[in-house]
mmCIF file of all heavy atoms in Angstrom:
data_model
loop_
_atom_site.group_PDB
_atom_site.id
_atom_site.type_symbol
_atom_site.label_atom_id
_atom_site.label_comp_id
_atom_site.label_asym_id
_atom_site.label_seq_id
_atom_site.Cartn_x
_atom_site.Cartn_y
_atom_site.Cartn_z
ATOM 1 N N ASN D 1 127.014 187.089 81.414
ATOM 2 C CA ASN D 1 127.401 185.728 81.800
ATOM 3 C C ASN D 1 126.210 184.900 82.271
ATOM 4 O O ASN D 1 126.373 183.776 82.756
ATOM 5 C CB ASN D 1 128.482 185.750 82.884
ATOM 6 C CG ASN D 1 128.026 186.436 84.164
ATOM 7 O OD1 ASN D 1 127.302 187.427 84.099
ATOM 8 N ND2 ASN D 1 128.439 185.942 85.301
ATOM 9 N N ASP D 2 124.977 185.433 82.115
ATOM 10 C CA ASP D 2 123.783 184.700 82.523
ATOM 11 C C ASP D 2 123.152 183.925 81.371
ATOM 12 O O ASP D 2 122.956 182.723 81.465
ATOM 13 C CB ASP D 2 122.740 185.651 83.112
ATOM 14 C CG ASP D 2 123.128 186.143 84.496
ATOM 15 O OD1 ASP D 2 123.978 185.497 85.137
ATOM 16 O OD2 ASP D 2 122.574 187.178 84.924
ATOM 17 N N TRP D 3 122.829 184.595 80.265
ATOM 18 C CA TRP D 3 122.159 183.947 79.141
ATOM 19 C C TRP D 3 122.124 184.868 77.926
ATOM 20 O O TRP D 3 122.400 186.068 78.027
ATOM 21 C CB TRP D 3 120.731 183.518 79.506
ATOM 22 C CG TRP D 3 119.924 184.488 80.322
ATOM 23 C CD1 TRP D 3 119.796 184.483 81.677
ATOM 24 C CD2 TRP D 3 119.147 185.611 79.854
ATOM 25 N NE1 TRP D 3 118.988 185.525 82.087
ATOM 26 C CE2 TRP D 3 118.566 186.219 80.986
ATOM 27 C CE3 TRP D 3 118.883 186.146 78.604
ATOM 28 C CZ2 TRP D 3 117.740 187.345 80.902
ATOM 29 C CZ3 TRP D 3 118.059 187.269 78.507
ATOM 30 C CH2 TRP D 3 117.499 187.847 79.642
ATOM 31 N N THR D 4 121.779 184.264 76.777
ATOM 32 C CA THR D 4 121.576 185.042 75.553
ATOM 33 C C THR D 4 120.098 185.359 75.375
ATOM 34 O O THR D 4 119.718 186.488 75.073
ATOM 35 C CB THR D 4 122.065 184.263 74.322
ATOM 36 O OG1 THR D 4 123.449 183.954 74.476
ATOM 37 C CG2 THR D 4 121.869 185.076 73.046
ATOM 38 N N CYS D 5 119.255 184.339 75.533
ATOM 39 C CA CYS D 5 117.805 184.492 75.470
ATOM 40 C C CYS D 5 117.195 183.706 76.625
ATOM 41 O O CYS D 5 117.879 182.953 77.315
ATOM 42 C CB CYS D 5 117.241 183.954 74.152
ATOM 43 S SG CYS D 5 117.955 184.666 72.642
ATOM 44 N N GLN D 6 115.895 183.887 76.809
ATOM 45 C CA GLN D 6 115.134 183.060 77.735
ATOM 46 C C GLN D 6 114.031 182.372 76.951
ATOM 47 O O GLN D 6 113.486 182.934 76.000
ATOM 48 C CB GLN D 6 114.534 183.904 78.856
ATOM 49 C CG GLN D 6 115.582 184.505 79.786
ATOM 50 C CD GLN D 6 114.953 185.388 80.845
ATOM 51 O OE1 GLN D 6 114.255 186.330 80.546
ATOM 52 N NE2 GLN D 6 115.204 185.053 82.117
ATOM 53 N N ALA D 7 113.686 181.137 77.349
ATOM 54 C CA ALA D 7 112.731 180.371 76.548
ATOM 55 C C ALA D 7 111.809 179.532 77.417
ATOM 56 O O ALA D 7 112.216 178.993 78.442
ATOM 57 C CB ALA D 7 113.472 179.455 75.579
ATOM 58 N N THR D 8 110.564 179.438 76.968
ATOM 59 C CA THR D 8 109.643 178.459 77.526
ATOM 60 C C THR D 8 109.931 177.124 76.864
ATOM 61 O O THR D 8 110.434 177.064 75.739
ATOM 62 C CB THR D 8 108.189 178.855 77.254
ATOM 63 O OG1 THR D 8 107.979 178.952 75.824
ATOM 64 C CG2 THR D 8 107.863 180.200 77.886
ATOM 65 N N MET D 9 109.612 176.042 77.556
ATOM 66 C CA MET D 9 109.785 174.698 77.015
ATOM 67 C C MET D 9 108.492 173.921 77.241
ATOM 68 O O MET D 9 108.113 173.674 78.382
ATOM 69 C CB MET D 9 110.951 173.976 77.701
ATOM 70 C CG MET D 9 112.305 174.577 77.411
ATOM 71 S SD MET D 9 112.825 174.321 75.707
ATOM 72 C CE MET D 9 114.425 175.145 75.735
ATOM 73 N N GLY D 10 107.824 173.564 76.165
ATOM 74 C CA GLY D 10 106.542 172.876 76.280
ATOM 75 C C GLY D 10 105.391 173.833 76.058
ATOM 76 O O GLY D 10 105.511 175.054 76.282
ATOM 77 N N HIS D 11 104.263 173.291 75.621
ATOM 78 C CA HIS D 11 103.116 174.118 75.251
ATOM 79 C C HIS D 11 102.517 174.876 76.428
ATOM 80 O O HIS D 11 102.005 175.976 76.264
ATOM 81 C CB HIS D 11 102.034 173.241 74.615
ATOM 82 C CG HIS D 11 102.410 172.697 73.267
ATOM 83 N ND1 HIS D 11 102.590 173.505 72.156
ATOM 84 C CD2 HIS D 11 102.652 171.430 72.849
ATOM 85 C CE1 HIS D 11 102.917 172.762 71.116
ATOM 86 N NE2 HIS D 11 102.968 171.501 71.508
ATOM 87 N N HIS D 12 102.559 174.292 77.617
ATOM 88 C CA HIS D 12 101.837 174.869 78.741
ATOM 89 C C HIS D 12 102.750 175.535 79.765
ATOM 90 O O HIS D 12 102.267 176.083 80.758
ATOM 91 C CB HIS D 12 101.002 173.779 79.429
ATOM 92 C CG HIS D 12 100.074 173.065 78.497
ATOM 93 N ND1 HIS D 12 98.992 173.690 77.900
ATOM 94 C CD2 HIS D 12 100.074 171.785 78.038
ATOM 95 C CE1 HIS D 12 98.355 172.828 77.130
ATOM 96 N NE2 HIS D 12 98.988 171.663 77.191
ATOM 97 N N SER D 13 104.034 175.484 79.548
ATOM 98 C CA SER D 13 104.960 176.057 80.519
ATOM 99 C C SER D 13 105.186 177.540 80.259
ATOM 100 O O SER D 13 105.347 177.970 79.116
ATOM 101 C CB SER D 13 106.309 175.329 80.456
ATOM 102 O OG SER D 13 107.253 175.962 81.297
ATOM 103 N N LYS D 14 105.179 178.317 81.327
ATOM 104 C CA LYS D 14 105.494 179.734 81.231
ATOM 105 C C LYS D 14 106.843 180.058 81.886
ATOM 106 O O LYS D 14 107.273 181.203 81.880
ATOM 107 C CB LYS D 14 104.387 180.558 81.894
ATOM 108 C CG LYS D 14 103.045 180.470 81.165
ATOM 109 C CD LYS D 14 101.997 181.377 81.810
ATOM 110 C CE LYS D 14 100.678 181.291 81.049
ATOM 111 N NZ LYS D 14 99.635 182.161 81.659
ATOM 112 N N HIS D 15 107.472 179.026 82.441
ATOM 113 C CA HIS D 15 108.782 179.216 83.065
ATOM 114 C C HIS D 15 109.824 179.530 82.007
ATOM 115 O O HIS D 15 109.875 178.894 80.960
ATOM 116 C CB HIS D 15 109.188 177.960 83.829
ATOM 117 C CG HIS D 15 110.552 178.049 84.424
ATOM 118 N ND1 HIS D 15 110.845 178.855 85.510
ATOM 119 C CD2 HIS D 15 111.723 177.438 84.074
ATOM 120 C CE1 HIS D 15 112.130 178.728 85.808
ATOM 121 N NE2 HIS D 15 112.680 177.886 84.961
ATOM 122 N N LEU D 16 110.653 180.526 82.269
ATOM 123 C CA LEU D 16 111.676 180.933 81.314
ATOM 124 C C LEU D 16 113.008 180.289 81.661
ATOM 125 O O LEU D 16 113.556 180.504 82.742
ATOM 126 C CB LEU D 16 111.811 182.461 81.303
ATOM 127 C CG LEU D 16 110.612 183.226 80.756
ATOM 128 C CD1 LEU D 16 110.812 184.728 80.914
ATOM 129 C CD2 LEU D 16 110.363 182.883 79.289
ATOM 130 N N ASN D 17 113.513 179.492 80.740
ATOM 131 C CA ASN D 17 114.797 178.821 80.892
ATOM 132 C C ASN D 17 115.883 179.591 80.145
ATOM 133 O O ASN D 17 115.612 180.187 79.097
ATOM 134 C CB ASN D 17 114.714 177.405 80.318
ATOM 135 C CG ASN D 17 113.637 176.575 80.979
ATOM 136 O OD1 ASN D 17 113.836 176.015 82.039
ATOM 137 N ND2 ASN D 17 112.463 176.506 80.340
ATOM 138 N N PRO D 18 117.110 179.577 80.644
ATOM 139 C CA PRO D 18 118.189 180.288 79.947
ATOM 140 C C PRO D 18 118.632 179.564 78.680
ATOM 141 O O PRO D 18 118.819 178.353 78.688
ATOM 142 C CB PRO D 18 119.313 180.326 80.980
ATOM 143 C CG PRO D 18 119.058 179.120 81.837
ATOM 144 C CD PRO D 18 117.568 178.961 81.898
ATOM 145 N N ILE D 19 118.778 180.296 77.596
ATOM 146 C CA ILE D 19 119.372 179.793 76.360
ATOM 147 C C ILE D 19 120.738 180.453 76.242
ATOM 148 O O ILE D 19 120.842 181.683 76.130
ATOM 149 C CB ILE D 19 118.509 180.120 75.129
ATOM 150 C CG1 ILE D 19 117.133 179.468 75.256
ATOM 151 C CG2 ILE D 19 119.209 179.663 73.848
ATOM 152 C CD1 ILE D 19 117.141 177.958 75.237
ATOM 153 N N LYS D 20 121.790 179.634 76.262
ATOM 154 C CA LYS D 20 123.147 180.161 76.345
ATOM 155 C C LYS D 20 123.902 179.902 75.050
ATOM 156 O O LYS D 20 124.457 178.828 74.846
ATOM 157 C CB LYS D 20 123.872 179.532 77.541
ATOM 158 C CG LYS D 20 123.173 179.798 78.869
ATOM 159 C CD LYS D 20 123.881 179.149 80.035
ATOM 160 C CE LYS D 20 123.203 179.478 81.351
ATOM 161 N NZ LYS D 20 123.916 178.906 82.517
ATOM 162 N N VAL D 21 123.890 180.890 74.171
ATOM 163 C CA VAL D 21 124.651 180.797 72.919
ATOM 164 C C VAL D 21 126.040 181.345 73.199
ATOM 165 O O VAL D 21 126.221 182.555 73.380
ATOM 166 C CB VAL D 21 123.970 181.580 71.774
ATOM 167 C CG1 VAL D 21 124.776 181.438 70.493
ATOM 168 C CG2 VAL D 21 122.537 181.088 71.578
ATOM 169 N N PHE D 22 127.006 180.464 73.226
ATOM 170 C CA PHE D 22 128.370 180.856 73.571
ATOM 171 C C PHE D 22 129.058 181.554 72.396
ATOM 172 O O PHE D 22 129.720 182.574 72.553
ATOM 173 C CB PHE D 22 129.157 179.617 73.995
ATOM 174 C CG PHE D 22 130.534 179.916 74.497
ATOM 175 C CD1 PHE D 22 130.713 180.594 75.690
ATOM 176 C CD2 PHE D 22 131.649 179.513 73.781
ATOM 177 C CE1 PHE D 22 131.990 180.871 76.161
ATOM 178 C CE2 PHE D 22 132.924 179.788 74.252
ATOM 179 C CZ PHE D 22 133.093 180.471 75.435
ATOM 180 N N ASP D 23 128.879 180.990 71.185
ATOM 181 C CA ASP D 23 129.481 181.598 70.004
ATOM 182 C C ASP D 23 128.847 181.006 68.749
ATOM 183 O O ASP D 23 128.475 179.823 68.734
ATOM 184 C CB ASP D 23 130.996 181.363 69.980
ATOM 185 C CG ASP D 23 131.692 182.247 68.953
ATOM 186 O OD1 ASP D 23 131.518 183.477 69.040
ATOM 187 O OD2 ASP D 23 132.386 181.721 68.070
ATOM 188 N N THR D 24 128.697 181.814 67.723
ATOM 189 C CA THR D 24 128.217 181.336 66.428
ATOM 190 C C THR D 24 128.625 182.316 65.337
ATOM 191 O O THR D 24 128.762 183.519 65.590
ATOM 192 C CB THR D 24 126.683 181.162 66.424
ATOM 193 O OG1 THR D 24 126.265 180.633 65.161
ATOM 194 C CG2 THR D 24 125.965 182.486 66.648
ATOM 195 N N ASP D 25 128.817 181.778 64.135
ATOM 196 C CA ASP D 25 129.004 182.652 62.980
ATOM 197 C C ASP D 25 127.729 182.670 62.138
ATOM 198 O O ASP D 25 127.717 183.242 61.057
ATOM 199 C CB ASP D 25 130.217 182.218 62.143
ATOM 200 C CG ASP D 25 130.006 180.873 61.447
ATOM 201 O OD1 ASP D 25 129.000 180.179 61.737
ATOM 202 O OD2 ASP D 25 130.853 180.509 60.609
ATOM 203 N N TYR D 26 126.677 182.030 62.634
ATOM 204 C CA TYR D 26 125.338 181.967 62.037
ATOM 205 C C TYR D 26 125.260 181.097 60.781
ATOM 206 O O TYR D 26 124.205 180.549 60.485
ATOM 207 C CB TYR D 26 124.806 183.367 61.699
ATOM 208 C CG TYR D 26 124.670 184.272 62.900
ATOM 209 C CD1 TYR D 26 125.589 185.298 63.129
ATOM 210 C CD2 TYR D 26 123.639 184.099 63.807
ATOM 211 C CE1 TYR D 26 125.465 186.130 64.238
ATOM 212 C CE2 TYR D 26 123.504 184.922 64.920
ATOM 213 C CZ TYR D 26 124.418 185.940 65.120
ATOM 214 O OH TYR D 26 124.301 186.754 66.229
ATOM 215 N N GLU D 27 126.339 180.943 60.058
ATOM 216 C CA GLU D 27 126.305 180.244 58.773
ATOM 217 C C GLU D 27 126.885 178.834 58.832
ATOM 218 O O GLU D 27 126.527 177.978 58.008
ATOM 219 C CB GLU D 27 127.065 181.040 57.712
ATOM 220 C CG GLU D 27 126.449 182.399 57.407
ATOM 221 C CD GLU D 27 127.251 183.159 56.370
ATOM 222 O OE1 GLU D 27 128.337 182.662 55.974
ATOM 223 O OE2 GLU D 27 126.803 184.238 55.953
ATOM 224 N N ASN D 28 127.774 178.581 59.797
ATOM 225 C CA ASN D 28 128.488 177.301 59.808
ATOM 226 C C ASN D 28 128.450 176.562 61.138
ATOM 227 O O ASN D 28 128.322 175.340 61.160
ATOM 228 C CB ASN D 28 129.953 177.520 59.417
ATOM 229 C CG ASN D 28 130.106 178.122 58.044
ATOM 230 O OD1 ASN D 28 129.893 177.458 57.033
ATOM 231 N ND2 ASN D 28 130.476 179.408 57.994
ATOM 232 N N TYR D 29 128.592 177.281 62.241
ATOM 233 C CA TYR D 29 128.700 176.605 63.533
ATOM 234 C C TYR D 29 128.001 177.394 64.630
ATOM 235 O O TYR D 29 127.805 178.609 64.536
ATOM 236 C CB TYR D 29 130.172 176.395 63.910
ATOM 237 C CG TYR D 29 130.863 177.655 64.378
ATOM 238 C CD1 TYR D 29 130.848 178.029 65.726
ATOM 239 C CD2 TYR D 29 131.531 178.489 63.480
ATOM 240 C CE1 TYR D 29 131.484 179.191 66.154
ATOM 241 C CE2 TYR D 29 132.158 179.648 63.900
ATOM 242 C CZ TYR D 29 132.129 179.997 65.236
ATOM 243 O OH TYR D 29 132.729 181.149 65.663
ATOM 244 N N GLU D 30 127.651 176.665 65.673
ATOM 245 C CA GLU D 30 127.125 177.259 66.894
ATOM 246 C C GLU D 30 127.660 176.461 68.069
ATOM 247 O O GLU D 30 127.694 175.223 68.026
ATOM 248 C CB GLU D 30 125.602 177.243 66.908
ATOM 249 C CG GLU D 30 124.996 177.950 68.105
ATOM 250 C CD GLU D 30 124.187 177.020 69.003
ATOM 251 O OE1 GLU D 30 124.330 175.783 68.864
ATOM 252 O OE2 GLU D 30 123.452 177.510 69.849
ATOM 253 N N ILE D 31 128.115 177.150 69.109
ATOM 254 C CA ILE D 31 128.633 176.515 70.314
ATOM 255 C C ILE D 31 127.722 176.863 71.479
ATOM 256 O O ILE D 31 127.488 178.038 71.772
ATOM 257 C CB ILE D 31 130.073 176.985 70.630
ATOM 258 C CG1 ILE D 31 130.999 176.736 69.443
ATOM 259 C CG2 ILE D 31 130.602 176.276 71.878
ATOM 260 C CD1 ILE D 31 132.368 177.370 69.595
ATOM 261 N N SER D 32 127.194 175.831 72.119
ATOM 262 C CA SER D 32 126.397 176.014 73.331
ATOM 263 C C SER D 32 127.231 175.554 74.520
ATOM 264 O O SER D 32 127.867 174.495 74.466
ATOM 265 C CB SER D 32 125.107 175.195 73.263
ATOM 266 O OG SER D 32 124.292 175.612 72.190
ATOM 267 N N TYR D 33 127.202 176.332 75.599
ATOM 268 C CA TYR D 33 127.987 175.988 76.783
ATOM 269 C C TYR D 33 127.235 176.440 78.026
ATOM 270 O O TYR D 33 126.701 177.554 78.081
ATOM 271 C CB TYR D 33 129.359 176.661 76.738
ATOM 272 C CG TYR D 33 130.146 176.524 78.034
ATOM 273 C CD1 TYR D 33 130.758 175.323 78.368
ATOM 274 C CD2 TYR D 33 130.254 177.592 78.911
ATOM 275 C CE1 TYR D 33 131.459 175.191 79.558
ATOM 276 C CE2 TYR D 33 130.961 177.474 80.097
ATOM 277 C CZ TYR D 33 131.557 176.274 80.411
ATOM 278 O OH TYR D 33 132.246 176.137 81.592
ATOM 279 N N GLY D 34 127.179 175.579 78.999
ATOM 280 C CA GLY D 34 126.595 175.931 80.280
ATOM 281 C C GLY D 34 127.377 175.292 81.406
ATOM 282 O O GLY D 34 128.002 174.248 81.234
ATOM 283 N N CYS D 35 127.332 175.921 82.571
ATOM 284 C CA CYS D 35 128.092 175.427 83.716
ATOM 285 C C CYS D 35 127.289 175.661 84.986
ATOM 286 O O CYS D 35 126.632 176.700 85.139
ATOM 287 C CB CYS D 35 129.440 176.141 83.795
ATOM 288 S SG CYS D 35 130.520 175.548 85.134
ATOM 289 N N TRP D 36 127.351 174.675 85.886
ATOM 290 C CA TRP D 36 126.645 174.745 87.156
ATOM 291 C C TRP D 36 127.639 174.493 88.277
ATOM 292 O O TRP D 36 128.330 173.481 88.294
ATOM 293 C CB TRP D 36 125.525 173.697 87.195
ATOM 294 C CG TRP D 36 124.484 173.948 86.152
ATOM 295 C CD1 TRP D 36 123.300 174.613 86.298
ATOM 296 C CD2 TRP D 36 124.546 173.543 84.778
ATOM 297 N NE1 TRP D 36 122.623 174.648 85.108
ATOM 298 C CE2 TRP D 36 123.358 174.005 84.153
ATOM 299 C CE3 TRP D 36 125.480 172.841 84.009
ATOM 300 C CZ2 TRP D 36 123.089 173.783 82.801
ATOM 301 C CZ3 TRP D 36 125.215 172.630 82.665
ATOM 302 C CH2 TRP D 36 124.037 173.097 82.078
ATOM 303 N N SER D 37 127.671 175.411 89.234
ATOM 304 C CA SER D 37 128.616 175.306 90.345
ATOM 305 C C SER D 37 127.919 174.733 91.579
ATOM 306 O O SER D 37 126.774 175.089 91.878
ATOM 307 C CB SER D 37 129.188 176.689 90.683
ATOM 308 O OG SER D 37 130.060 176.620 91.790
ATOM 309 N N PHE D 38 128.612 173.831 92.270
ATOM 310 C CA PHE D 38 128.093 173.219 93.484
ATOM 311 C C PHE D 38 128.866 173.786 94.678
ATOM 312 O O PHE D 38 129.892 173.239 95.084
ATOM 313 C CB PHE D 38 128.207 171.697 93.396
ATOM 314 C CG PHE D 38 127.356 171.103 92.313
ATOM 315 C CD1 PHE D 38 127.837 171.034 91.004
ATOM 316 C CD2 PHE D 38 126.074 170.648 92.568
ATOM 317 C CE1 PHE D 38 127.054 170.498 89.979
ATOM 318 C CE2 PHE D 38 125.291 170.117 91.551
ATOM 319 C CZ PHE D 38 125.776 170.046 90.263
ATOM 320 N N HIS D 39 128.357 174.925 95.159
ATOM 321 C CA HIS D 39 128.932 175.604 96.324
ATOM 322 C C HIS D 39 130.405 175.957 96.124
ATOM 323 O O HIS D 39 131.146 176.104 97.090
ATOM 324 C CB HIS D 39 128.768 174.743 97.580
ATOM 325 C CG HIS D 39 127.353 174.337 97.849
ATOM 326 N ND1 HIS D 39 126.376 175.230 98.248
ATOM 327 C CD2 HIS D 39 126.732 173.119 97.742
ATOM 328 C CE1 HIS D 39 125.224 174.588 98.389
ATOM 329 N NE2 HIS D 39 125.407 173.314 98.081
ATOM 330 N N GLY D 40 130.824 176.089 94.866
ATOM 331 C CA GLY D 40 132.201 176.454 94.587
ATOM 332 C C GLY D 40 133.194 175.334 94.774
ATOM 333 O O GLY D 40 134.391 175.504 94.485
ATOM 334 N N LEU D 41 132.718 174.169 95.254
ATOM 335 C CA LEU D 41 133.620 173.039 95.479
ATOM 336 C C LEU D 41 133.975 172.354 94.168
ATOM 337 O O LEU D 41 135.133 172.048 93.887
ATOM 338 C CB LEU D 41 132.980 172.030 96.439
ATOM 339 C CG LEU D 41 133.805 170.790 96.764
ATOM 340 C CD1 LEU D 41 135.116 171.186 97.437
ATOM 341 C CD2 LEU D 41 133.018 169.832 97.661
#
């Protein structure tokens, strides 16, 4: 439930960002989904 891959963004960045592939059939569609909780409120 954390991520599918981790990725750098930009030529000089070494920070790894989460890449969240929710679902794909590889040939027709891909669904990306992410969620951020604010103290559970």
